[in-house]
Amino acid sequence: MQFSYEVKDSYAEVKSVGRLNMVAAPKLREVVAEVVAGGSSRVVVNLAETDFMDSSGLGALIGCLKAARQAGGDLRIAGVQPQVKMVLELTNMDRVLTAYPSAEEAFGDD
């Protein structure tokens, strides 16, 4: 699993490549914490290249959402693949983590 991030004008985009599982979940938390600590409390996690997520990955996303909100911002997800979408729907977390087609659209209306 690889993570990278880029700070844009009004948000920071974290790109996730690979499988978001119990091995990768702590790294996602670490990257988002670094982004938020750097002053970007509005975060988009781009999952376009993430084809698998388990409960650990979901837990990491929720933890990252909490961190962003505690910093006065928000966390949104974009580019959700079918298996990841299924996990979100089965757990009803799609109501908390709204998926957007692209990172640009996630904060496009704010």
Side-chain angles (χ1 to χ4, degrees):
M1 185 92 207
Q2 295 177 345
F3 297 102
S4 62
Y5 68 89
E6 180 181 352
V7 177
K8 311 261 179 152
D9 289 338
S10 63
Y11 65 92
E13 178 182 0
V14 175
K15 290 185 181 177
S16 166
V17 178
R19 298 168 60 90
L20 186 49
N21 56 22
M22 63 184 260
V23 175
K27 181 65 176 168
L28 174 62
R29 288 179 191 257
E30 193 178 295
V31 169
V32 171
E34 183 180 323
V35 168
V36 171
S40 297
S41 60
R42 291 163 46 105
V43 180
V44 178
V45 178
N46 188 336
L47 299 170
E49 295 183 60
T50 301
D51 56 3
F52 176 84
M53 178 176 73
D54 65 8
S55 60
S56 298
L58 180 59
L61 283 175
I62 299 303
C64 293
L65 171 66
K66 184 178 176 185
R69 287 188 175 167
Q70 285 177 336
D74 199 7
L75 181 134
R76 300 180 182 178
I77 56 176
V80 177
Q81 299 302 305
Q83 190 276 340
V84 175
K85 183 177 181 178
M86 183 184 71
V87 170
L88 291 166
E89 289 172 352
L90 287 173
T91 58
N92 283 327
M93 292 311 296
D94 57 332
R95 297 177 184 178
V96 177
L97 289 167
T98 304
Y100 293 85
S102 68
E104 294 78 23
E105 294 174 73
F107 283 109
D109 58 347
D110 293 353

XYZ file of all heavy atoms in Angstrom:
815
model
N 0.846 -1.176 0.000
C 0.000 0.000 0.000
C 0.888 1.235 0.000
O 1.832 1.321 0.774
C -0.876 -0.032 1.252
C -1.883 1.064 1.325
S -3.405 0.497 0.602
C -4.133 1.973 0.038
N 0.555 2.159 -0.858
C 1.305 3.410 -0.927
C 0.362 4.583 -0.725
O -0.773 4.568 -1.206
C 1.980 3.558 -2.286
C 3.035 2.534 -2.568
C 3.615 2.710 -3.968
O 3.065 3.397 -4.807
N 4.741 2.062 -4.204
N 0.852 5.588 -0.007
C 0.104 6.814 0.203
C 0.967 7.992 -0.208
O 2.173 7.995 0.019
C -0.287 6.985 1.674
C -1.196 5.911 2.186
C -0.703 4.887 2.965
C -2.551 5.921 1.888
C -1.525 3.889 3.448
C -3.381 4.924 2.362
C -2.872 3.910 3.141
N 0.329 8.978 -0.801
C 1.002 10.239 -1.100
C -0.028 11.334 -0.901
O -1.233 11.063 -0.901
C 1.531 10.245 -2.530
O 0.459 10.122 -3.447
N 0.441 12.535 -0.693
C -0.525 13.622 -0.564
C -0.024 14.886 -1.227
O 1.178 15.072 -1.432
C -0.894 13.886 0.897
C 0.196 14.462 1.762
C 0.371 15.842 1.869
C 1.035 13.631 2.495
C 1.361 16.375 2.677
C 2.024 14.163 3.307
C 2.182 15.536 3.394
O 3.164 16.058 4.193
N -0.984 15.715 -1.578
C -0.703 16.984 -2.229
C -1.646 18.022 -1.642
O -2.855 17.796 -1.568
C -0.926 16.848 -3.736
C -0.670 18.099 -4.520
C -0.931 17.926 -6.016
O -1.171 16.796 -6.474
O -0.901 18.950 -6.710
N -1.093 19.124 -1.209
C -1.911 20.201 -0.658
C -2.350 21.092 -1.816
O -1.524 21.605 -2.565
C -1.135 21.011 0.399
C -1.978 22.166 0.910
C -0.712 20.108 1.550
N -3.664 21.237 -1.964
C -4.237 22.076 -3.024
C -4.665 23.406 -2.402
O -4.367 23.683 -1.254
C -5.441 21.362 -3.642
C -5.178 19.918 -4.026
C -4.898 19.774 -5.469
C -4.624 18.300 -5.778
N -4.938 17.910 -7.094
N -5.411 24.216 -3.157
C -5.837 25.533 -2.664
C -6.705 25.443 -1.418
O -6.450 26.105 -0.424
C -6.589 26.303 -3.753
C -5.655 26.769 -4.861
O -4.443 26.871 -4.613
O -6.145 27.020 -5.977
N -7.766 24.634 -1.474
C -8.729 24.627 -0.357
C -8.786 23.295 0.398
O -9.582 23.144 1.307
C -10.122 24.983 -0.884
O -10.560 24.008 -1.802
N -7.977 22.329 -0.011
C -7.976 21.023 0.642
C -6.667 20.296 0.350
O -5.884 20.725 -0.491
C -9.169 20.175 0.170
C -9.116 19.818 -1.303
C -8.519 18.637 -1.734
C -9.656 20.655 -2.270
C -8.452 18.307 -3.074
C -9.601 20.337 -3.612
C -8.998 19.161 -4.007
O -8.935 18.833 -5.337
N -6.472 19.193 1.060
C -5.325 18.321 0.789
C -5.862 16.995 0.255
O -6.855 16.478 0.760
C -4.518 18.087 2.048
N -5.225 16.475 -0.779
C -5.641 15.198 -1.372
C -4.643 14.114 -0.987
O -3.451 14.230 -1.253
C -5.721 15.316 -2.889
C -6.100 14.024 -3.566
C -6.136 14.120 -5.086
O -5.859 15.201 -5.633
O -6.429 13.099 -5.733
N -5.153 13.061 -0.347
C -4.339 11.904 0.006
C -4.688 10.801 -0.986
O -5.846 10.406 -1.081
C -4.616 11.436 1.456
C -3.838 10.162 1.762
C -4.268 12.528 2.449
N -3.707 10.328 -1.731
C -3.936 9.258 -2.702
C -3.531 7.930 -2.085
O -2.460 7.802 -1.506
C -3.145 9.508 -3.990
C -3.673 10.673 -4.780
C -2.952 10.807 -6.100
C -3.503 11.998 -6.858
N -2.791 12.206 -8.123
N -4.408 6.962 -2.262
C -4.201 5.626 -1.718
C -4.090 4.642 -2.880
O -4.973 4.604 -3.733
C -5.404 5.289 -0.828
O -5.441 3.936 -0.527
N -3.031 3.859 -2.904
C -2.821 2.884 -3.973
C -2.596 1.510 -3.344
O -1.678 1.335 -2.545
C -1.600 3.254 -4.854
C -1.370 2.215 -5.934
C -1.771 4.641 -5.452
N -3.455 0.552 -3.686
C -3.300 -0.807 -3.165
C -4.483 -1.237 -2.328
O -5.600 -0.780 -2.529
N -4.209 -2.105 -1.374
C -5.254 -2.672 -0.513
C -5.244 -1.972 0.844
O -4.224 -1.958 1.517
C -5.014 -4.167 -0.327
C -5.085 -4.942 -1.636
C -4.572 -6.364 -1.499
N -5.323 -7.145 -0.540
C -6.398 -7.876 -0.822
N -6.865 -7.893 -2.052
N -7.007 -8.566 0.110
N -6.395 -1.430 1.218
C -6.517 -0.743 2.506
C -6.992 -1.762 3.534
O -8.178 -1.989 3.729
C -7.489 0.436 2.380
C -7.636 1.353 3.595
C -6.293 1.795 4.141
C -8.481 2.553 3.228
N -6.008 -2.419 4.170
C -6.310 -3.482 5.126
C -5.614 -3.213 6.457
O -5.109 -2.120 6.688
C -5.906 -4.842 4.544
C -4.446 -4.876 4.141
O -3.622 -4.097 4.609
N -4.113 -5.792 3.250
N -5.574 -4.225 7.328
C -5.009 -4.027 8.660
C -3.525 -3.666 8.637
O -3.024 -3.050 9.565
C -5.240 -5.257 9.541
C -4.562 -6.521 9.058
S -4.972 -7.924 10.080
C -3.516 -8.012 11.085
N -2.842 -4.014 7.571
C -1.426 -3.673 7.450
C -1.267 -2.197 7.072
O -0.406 -1.492 7.595
C -0.728 -4.577 6.406
C 0.704 -4.152 6.176
C -0.806 -6.035 6.831
N -2.129 -1.722 6.176
C -2.010 -0.362 5.656
C -2.739 0.684 6.501
O -2.410 1.863 6.441
C -2.550 -0.316 4.231
N -3.720 0.270 7.297
C -4.554 1.212 8.055
C -3.737 2.158 8.947
O -3.986 3.372 8.931
C -5.598 0.453 8.868
N -2.762 1.671 9.712
C -1.983 2.593 10.557
C -1.232 3.652 9.744
O -1.094 4.795 10.171
C -1.008 1.683 11.302
C -1.642 0.332 11.265
C -2.387 0.277 9.964
N -0.770 3.271 8.566
C -0.047 4.217 7.701
C -0.992 5.318 7.210
O -0.602 6.486 7.148
C 0.590 3.469 6.521
C 1.378 4.344 5.591
C 2.601 4.942 6.249
C 3.413 5.737 5.226
N 4.435 6.559 5.851
N -2.234 4.967 6.873
C -3.205 5.977 6.445
C -3.448 6.969 7.581
O -3.443 8.180 7.363
C -4.526 5.333 6.014
C -5.649 6.318 5.675
C -5.265 7.216 4.494
C -6.946 5.571 5.372
N -3.640 6.452 8.775
C -3.850 7.340 9.940
C -2.662 8.289 10.111
O -2.833 9.469 10.394
C -4.018 6.509 11.213
C -5.329 5.772 11.306
C -5.343 4.977 12.619
N -6.431 4.035 12.685
C -7.545 4.232 13.387
N -7.706 5.344 14.059
N -8.491 3.316 13.411
N -1.468 7.746 9.938
C -0.245 8.525 10.086
C -0.153 9.639 9.041
O 0.154 10.794 9.363
C 0.938 7.559 9.925
C 2.282 8.068 10.326
C 3.329 6.966 10.141
O 3.251 5.933 10.849
O 4.214 7.151 9.290
N -0.456 9.298 7.796
C -0.382 10.279 6.706
C -1.413 11.386 6.911
O -1.094 12.570 6.779
C -0.562 9.589 5.332
C -0.749 10.607 4.223
C 0.629 8.687 5.033
N -2.642 11.022 7.239
C -3.686 12.032 7.446
C -3.353 12.896 8.667
O -3.538 14.116 8.633
C -5.088 11.390 7.546
C -6.128 12.419 7.969
C -5.472 10.762 6.214
N -2.826 12.295 9.719
C -2.419 13.074 10.899
C -1.339 14.087 10.527
O -1.370 15.234 10.988
C -1.927 12.144 11.997
N -0.421 13.689 9.671
C 0.647 14.588 9.203
C 0.064 15.745 8.397
O 0.463 16.900 8.566
C 1.635 13.784 8.350
C 2.822 14.561 7.849
C 3.761 13.690 7.011
O 3.943 12.503 7.347
O 4.302 14.214 6.018
N -0.897 15.442 7.525
C -1.552 16.458 6.703
C -2.293 17.462 7.588
O -2.165 18.677 7.425
C -2.522 15.801 5.687
C -3.422 16.836 5.033
C -1.740 15.026 4.636
N -3.059 16.945 8.545
C -3.833 17.812 9.449
C -2.888 18.648 10.317
O -3.106 19.846 10.511
C -4.817 16.979 10.303
C -5.461 17.830 11.384
C -5.889 16.346 9.417
N -1.829 18.036 10.825
C -0.852 18.760 11.636
C -0.167 19.864 10.829
O 0.236 20.893 11.380
C 0.190 17.798 12.200
N -0.092 19.657 9.518
C 0.511 20.652 8.628
C -0.412 21.813 8.314
O -0.042 22.728 7.586
N -1.628 21.770 8.839
C -2.546 22.892 8.664
C -3.673 22.670 7.674
O -4.478 23.569 7.447
N -3.757 21.504 7.072
C -4.836 21.218 6.116
C -5.882 20.337 6.787
O -5.739 19.121 6.843
C -4.290 20.493 4.883
O -3.382 21.309 4.190
N -6.942 20.962 7.303
C -7.967 20.181 7.998
C -9.070 19.689 7.056
O -9.910 18.900 7.451
C -8.580 21.001 9.133
O -9.184 22.170 8.628
N -9.050 20.164 5.815
C -9.997 19.667 4.801
C -9.239 18.669 3.942
O -8.329 19.042 3.203
C -10.549 20.819 3.978
C -11.473 21.719 4.802
C -11.728 23.077 4.182
N -12.049 23.079 2.781
C -13.273 23.285 2.283
N -14.284 23.508 3.082
N -13.479 23.294 0.982
N -9.621 17.392 4.065
C -8.866 16.303 3.452
C -9.775 15.463 2.560
O -10.894 15.131 2.939
C -8.240 15.392 4.544
C -7.442 14.263 3.927
C -7.384 16.206 5.504
N -9.279 15.121 1.378
C -9.959 14.175 0.491
C -9.054 12.956 0.366
O -7.882 13.080 0.011
C -10.196 14.763 -0.917
C -10.854 13.732 -1.816
C -11.032 16.021 -0.847
N -9.598 11.780 0.674
C -8.856 10.542 0.461
C -9.314 9.982 -0.885
O -10.478 9.611 -1.048
C -9.086 9.523 1.597
C -8.322 8.229 1.311
C -8.645 10.104 2.940
N -8.405 9.977 -1.845
C -8.705 9.502 -3.192
C -8.465 7.988 -3.237
O -7.332 7.522 -3.139
C -7.814 10.225 -4.202
C -8.188 9.923 -5.623
O -8.791 8.885 -5.918
N -7.847 10.816 -6.533
N -9.558 7.243 -3.391
C -9.502 5.777 -3.385
C -9.618 5.170 -4.786
O -9.938 3.999 -4.935
C -10.626 5.235 -2.488
C -10.558 5.674 -1.019
C -11.848 5.294 -0.293
C -9.361 5.061 -0.336
N -9.352 5.966 -5.805
C -9.495 5.495 -7.189
C -8.612 4.285 -7.495
O -8.962 3.460 -8.332
C -9.193 6.631 -8.167
N -7.478 4.166 -6.813
C -6.563 3.046 -7.058
C -6.528 2.083 -5.876
O -5.556 1.359 -5.679
C -5.174 3.580 -7.377
C -5.140 4.375 -8.672
C -3.752 4.844 -9.031
O -2.862 3.996 -9.205
O -3.567 6.074 -9.124
N -7.613 2.079 -5.092
C -7.751 1.158 -3.962
C -8.892 0.210 -4.285
O -10.047 0.618 -4.301
C -8.043 1.934 -2.660
O -6.965 2.841 -2.434
C -8.184 0.995 -1.482
N -8.558 -1.048 -4.580
C -9.589 -1.990 -5.013
C -10.102 -2.888 -3.887
O -11.002 -3.691 -4.092
C -9.098 -2.842 -6.174
C -7.805 -3.578 -5.845
O -7.322 -3.465 -4.705
O -7.281 -4.265 -6.733
N -9.539 -2.737 -2.672
C -9.979 -3.564 -1.552
C -9.854 -2.786 -0.252
O -8.863 -2.085 -0.021
C -9.120 -4.836 -1.451
C -9.458 -5.682 -0.256
C -10.502 -6.593 -0.312
C -8.749 -5.557 0.928
C -10.830 -7.369 0.811
C -9.065 -6.325 2.045
C -10.113 -7.233 1.980
N -10.864 -2.923 0.610
C -10.811 -2.345 1.949
C -11.500 -3.305 2.906
O -12.572 -3.824 2.608
C -11.529 -0.988 1.978
C -11.544 -0.350 3.360
S -12.272 1.305 3.383
C -14.009 0.910 3.169
N -10.870 -3.542 4.066
C -11.500 -4.376 5.087
C -11.929 -3.493 6.257
O -11.867 -2.263 6.178
C -10.577 -5.517 5.524
C -9.315 -5.050 6.228
O -9.188 -3.844 6.529
O -8.456 -5.902 6.495
N -12.355 -4.115 7.346
C -12.852 -3.356 8.492
C -11.761 -2.486 9.122
O -12.050 -1.413 9.644
C -13.456 -4.291 9.535
O -12.482 -5.209 9.994
N -10.523 -2.919 9.043
C -9.419 -2.108 9.576
C -9.246 -0.830 8.766
O -9.006 0.243 9.315
C -8.111 -2.891 9.558
O -8.212 -4.030 10.371
N -9.372 -0.962 7.458
C -9.292 0.207 6.581
C -10.441 1.164 6.836
O -10.254 2.385 6.879
N -11.632 0.610 7.032
C -12.794 1.434 7.343
C -12.594 2.155 8.671
O -12.868 3.352 8.790
C -14.061 0.570 7.388
C -15.363 1.292 7.701
C -15.655 2.374 6.681
C -16.512 0.295 7.772
N -12.084 1.450 9.656
C -11.796 2.057 10.955
C -10.788 3.188 10.840
O -10.919 4.219 11.511
N -9.796 3.001 9.979
C -8.794 4.047 9.771
C -9.434 5.286 9.147
O -9.137 6.414 9.555
C -7.670 3.529 8.886
N -10.314 5.082 8.174
C -11.001 6.224 7.559
C -11.835 6.984 8.583
O -11.834 8.215 8.604
C -11.890 5.769 6.400
C -11.192 5.430 5.093
C -12.196 4.872 4.085
C -10.501 6.666 4.516
N -12.538 6.249 9.456
C -13.348 6.888 10.490
C -12.454 7.657 11.467
O -12.772 8.779 11.866
C -14.220 5.852 11.240
C -15.189 5.158 10.268
C -14.978 6.492 12.398
C -16.098 6.085 9.510
N -11.328 7.072 11.840
C -10.378 7.757 12.716
C -9.829 9.028 12.080
O -9.675 10.055 12.745
N -9.578 8.961 10.772
C -9.077 10.130 10.047
C -10.154 11.211 9.956
O -9.856 12.405 10.061
C -8.615 9.722 8.644
S -7.163 8.642 8.643
N -11.394 10.788 9.766
C -12.523 11.722 9.745
C -12.605 12.466 11.075
O -12.756 13.687 11.122
C -13.826 10.967 9.472
C -15.132 11.752 9.618
C -15.227 12.846 8.569
C -16.326 10.811 9.499
N -12.478 11.730 12.158
C -12.535 12.320 13.497
C -11.400 13.320 13.692
O -11.606 14.422 14.209
C -12.464 11.218 14.551
C -12.599 11.702 15.962
C -12.568 10.551 16.946
C -12.604 11.059 18.377
N -12.456 9.981 19.353
N -10.198 12.964 13.259
C -9.044 13.857 13.393
C -9.249 15.148 12.611
O -8.955 16.240 13.106
C -7.775 13.145 12.920
N -9.764 15.029 11.393
C -10.000 16.218 10.567
C -11.067 17.109 11.193
O -10.922 18.334 11.242
C -10.404 15.807 9.150
N -12.133 16.499 11.695
C -13.212 17.287 12.305
C -12.762 17.948 13.600
O -13.161 19.060 13.896
C -14.446 16.419 12.525
C -15.135 16.116 11.200
C -16.455 15.442 11.389
N -17.143 15.273 10.105
C -18.187 14.499 9.935
N -18.689 13.815 10.949
N -18.752 14.407 8.747
N -11.928 17.275 14.374
C -11.410 17.875 15.604
C -10.523 19.085 15.308
O -10.393 19.976 16.131
C -10.640 16.847 16.431
C -11.547 15.870 17.137
C -10.778 14.797 17.905
O -9.637 14.488 17.605
N -11.434 14.219 18.902
N -9.945 19.109 14.113
C -9.105 20.232 13.691
C -9.942 21.321 13.022
O -9.398 22.282 12.477
C -8.014 19.742 12.743
N -11.273 21.144 13.028
C -12.158 22.154 12.442
C -12.436 21.961 10.967
O -12.985 22.846 10.309
N -12.088 20.815 10.423
C -12.283 20.565 9.003
C -13.206 19.396 8.750
O -14.137 19.145 9.512
N -12.924 18.654 7.687
C -13.740 17.507 7.307
C -12.893 16.573 6.460
O -11.873 16.979 5.905
C -14.965 17.968 6.522
C -16.090 16.933 6.491
O -15.969 15.908 7.203
O -17.078 17.148 5.783
N -13.329 15.329 6.370
C -12.674 14.352 5.507
C -13.730 13.784 4.579
O -14.823 13.429 5.023
C -12.030 13.230 6.326
C -11.313 12.176 5.474
C -9.955 11.854 6.055
C -12.146 10.910 5.366
N -13.394 13.727 3.310
C -14.297 13.165 2.301
C -13.525 12.152 1.471
O -12.300 12.182 1.436
C -14.870 14.284 1.431
C -15.661 15.273 2.299
C -16.255 16.389 1.536
N -16.943 17.290 2.473
C -17.541 18.396 2.107
N -17.556 18.752 0.840
N -18.133 19.157 2.999
N -14.259 11.257 0.820
C -13.612 10.235 0.002
C -14.042 10.401 -1.449
O -15.132 10.902 -1.732
C -13.916 8.808 0.510
C -15.423 8.538 0.590
C -13.253 8.574 1.863
C -15.783 7.128 0.988
N -13.173 9.974 -2.354
C -13.440 10.128 -3.788
C -12.929 8.913 -4.549
O -12.049 8.193 -4.079
C -12.762 11.388 -4.305
N -13.509 8.703 -5.727
C -13.049 7.636 -6.612
C -13.232 6.243 -6.048
O -12.390 5.373 -6.244
N -14.333 6.013 -5.352
C -14.561 4.751 -4.651
C -14.824 3.612 -5.633
O -15.692 3.715 -6.495
C -15.729 4.893 -3.655
C -16.038 3.582 -2.976
C -15.398 5.962 -2.616
N -14.070 2.529 -5.472
C -14.212 1.342 -6.316
C -15.332 0.442 -5.789
O -15.748 0.568 -4.641
C -12.887 0.586 -6.353
C -11.749 1.401 -6.935
C -12.045 1.886 -8.339
O -12.364 1.106 -9.222
N -11.971 3.186 -8.554
N -15.840 -0.490 -6.619
C -17.010 -1.302 -6.239
C -16.882 -2.059 -4.909
O -17.819 -2.040 -4.106
C -17.159 -2.277 -7.404
C -16.585 -1.544 -8.569
C -15.442 -0.738 -8.006
N -15.755 -2.702 -4.640
C -15.634 -3.468 -3.394
C -15.641 -2.545 -2.183
O -16.258 -2.837 -1.162
C -14.364 -4.329 -3.401
C -14.273 -5.345 -2.265
C -13.725 -4.774 -0.957
O -13.071 -3.745 -0.928
N -14.012 -5.458 0.149
N -14.975 -1.414 -2.291
C -14.937 -0.441 -1.199
C -16.334 0.131 -0.971
O -16.787 0.274 0.165
C -13.908 0.680 -1.502
C -13.947 1.762 -0.438
C -12.508 0.090 -1.635
N -17.028 0.417 -2.060
C -18.400 0.932 -1.967
C -19.305 -0.081 -1.260
O -20.135 0.279 -0.428
C -18.943 1.243 -3.360
C -20.325 1.842 -3.354
C -20.782 2.203 -4.748
C -22.161 2.832 -4.675
N -22.642 3.243 -5.976
N -19.108 -1.361 -1.570
C -19.908 -2.409 -0.948
C -19.686 -2.441 0.567
O -20.637 -2.540 1.346
C -19.562 -3.771 -1.553
C -20.405 -4.908 -0.996
S -19.895 -6.518 -1.639
C -18.340 -6.734 -0.802
N -18.431 -2.320 1.002
C -18.123 -2.305 2.438
C -18.804 -1.109 3.103
O -19.406 -1.244 4.170
C -16.591 -2.271 2.677
C -16.265 -1.999 4.138
C -15.956 -3.574 2.226
N -18.728 0.039 2.470
C -19.368 1.243 3.015
C -20.882 1.062 3.134
O -21.478 1.442 4.140
C -19.053 2.460 2.147
C -17.602 2.937 2.167
C -17.342 3.915 1.039
C -17.256 3.554 3.500
N -21.497 0.464 2.113
C -22.950 0.275 2.124
C -23.380 -0.779 3.148
O -24.373 -0.593 3.849
C -23.437 -0.103 0.728
C -23.372 1.056 -0.253
C -23.674 0.663 -1.682
O -23.798 -0.551 -1.988
O -23.786 1.577 -2.523
N -22.646 -1.871 3.233
C -23.001 -2.943 4.176
C -22.913 -2.492 5.631
O -23.652 -2.987 6.482
C -22.093 -4.165 3.970
C -22.364 -4.992 2.716
C -21.289 -6.059 2.537
C -23.730 -5.633 2.774
N -22.034 -1.554 5.894
C -21.860 -1.057 7.267
C -22.634 0.246 7.514
O -22.555 0.806 8.603
C -20.367 -0.808 7.554
O -19.867 0.145 6.595
C -19.568 -2.088 7.487
N -23.352 0.696 6.499
C -24.077 1.973 6.549
C -23.153 3.174 6.749
O -23.617 4.259 7.089
C -25.167 1.971 7.627
C -26.386 1.201 7.191
O -26.731 1.181 6.010
N -27.031 0.547 8.132
N -21.875 2.993 6.534
C -20.932 4.102 6.683
C -20.951 5.016 5.456
O -20.353 6.084 5.482
C -19.514 3.582 6.943
C -19.353 2.915 8.300
S -20.005 3.855 9.703
C -18.979 5.289 9.672
N -21.657 4.602 4.404
C -21.804 5.485 3.245
C -22.617 6.727 3.613
O -22.579 7.728 2.909
C -22.417 4.750 2.058
C -23.758 4.118 2.366
O -24.020 3.759 3.533
O -24.561 3.974 1.424
N -23.329 6.674 4.732
C -24.086 7.843 5.207
C -23.171 8.843 5.909
O -23.476 10.024 5.976
C -25.182 7.401 6.172
C -26.202 6.514 5.500
C -27.232 6.032 6.472
N -28.129 5.103 5.799
C -29.111 4.481 6.394
N -29.331 4.669 7.682
N -29.887 3.658 5.720
N -22.070 8.347 6.449
C -21.115 9.200 7.164
C -20.005 9.670 6.216
O -19.610 10.826 6.233
C -20.491 8.440 8.359
C -19.451 9.286 9.070
C -21.577 7.990 9.325
N -19.513 8.756 5.405
C -18.459 9.047 4.434
C -19.073 9.078 3.036
O -19.140 8.053 2.364
C -17.364 7.978 4.502
C -16.473 7.994 5.726
C -15.664 6.707 5.813
C -15.541 9.191 5.686
N -19.530 10.225 2.630
C -20.133 10.360 1.303
C -19.037 10.267 0.251
O -18.012 10.941 0.355
C -20.855 11.713 1.187
O -21.812 11.811 2.231
C -21.550 11.850 -0.149
N -19.282 9.435 -0.747
C -18.310 9.263 -1.827
C -18.587 10.254 -2.951
O -19.728 10.475 -3.331
C -18.371 7.836 -2.351
N -17.523 10.838 -3.470
C -17.610 11.780 -4.582
C -16.893 11.171 -5.782
O -15.953 10.399 -5.611
C -16.966 13.118 -4.210
C -17.740 13.840 -3.135
C -17.543 13.565 -1.785
C -18.703 14.790 -3.461
C -18.265 14.209 -0.799
C -19.442 15.435 -2.476
C -19.221 15.140 -1.153
O -19.936 15.775 -0.175
N -17.319 11.528 -6.989
C -16.681 10.960 -8.192
C -15.182 11.263 -8.290
O -14.402 10.440 -8.754
C -17.437 11.594 -9.353
C -18.746 12.051 -8.761
C -18.451 12.375 -7.329
N -14.793 12.471 -7.877
C -13.377 12.842 -7.964
C -13.003 13.731 -6.779
O -13.874 14.309 -6.118
C -13.100 13.609 -9.263
O -13.734 14.882 -9.215
N -11.709 13.853 -6.548
C -11.224 14.691 -5.442
C -11.622 16.143 -5.638
O -11.978 16.827 -4.679
C -9.701 14.565 -5.325
N -11.615 16.597 -6.884
C -11.972 17.989 -7.175
C -13.420 18.288 -6.784
O -13.739 19.378 -6.360
C -11.767 18.302 -8.663
C -10.322 18.267 -9.111
C -9.780 16.857 -9.322
O -10.564 15.915 -9.549
O -8.550 16.683 -9.206
N -14.297 17.308 -6.960
C -15.720 17.497 -6.656
C -16.052 17.385 -5.175
O -17.096 17.851 -4.733
C -16.555 16.478 -7.450
C -16.510 16.707 -8.940
C -17.225 15.617 -9.703
O -18.457 15.598 -9.673
O -16.527 14.787 -10.327
N -15.166 16.778 -4.398
C -15.448 16.537 -2.979
C -15.674 17.836 -2.199
O -16.568 17.913 -1.372
C -14.331 15.720 -2.355
N -14.865 18.832 -2.455
C -15.034 20.124 -1.787
C -15.436 21.206 -2.795
O -15.353 22.390 -2.501
C -13.762 20.545 -1.052
C -13.556 19.819 0.251
C -12.567 18.870 0.388
C -14.377 20.076 1.344
C -12.372 18.201 1.579
C -14.197 19.420 2.537
C -13.204 18.468 2.666
N -15.863 20.783 -3.971
C -16.218 21.727 -5.037
C -17.376 22.642 -4.702
O -17.447 23.764 -5.203
N -18.296 22.205 -3.842
C -19.469 23.021 -3.531
C -19.269 23.889 -2.297
O -20.140 24.659 -1.925
C -20.692 22.134 -3.338
C -20.507 21.090 -2.226
O -19.361 20.911 -1.783
O -21.492 20.467 -1.825
N -18.125 23.771 -1.646
C -17.876 24.563 -0.416
C -17.039 25.783 -0.700
O -16.046 25.747 -1.298
C -17.171 23.695 0.640
C -18.071 22.583 1.141
O -19.255 22.569 0.778
O -17.582 21.735 1.900
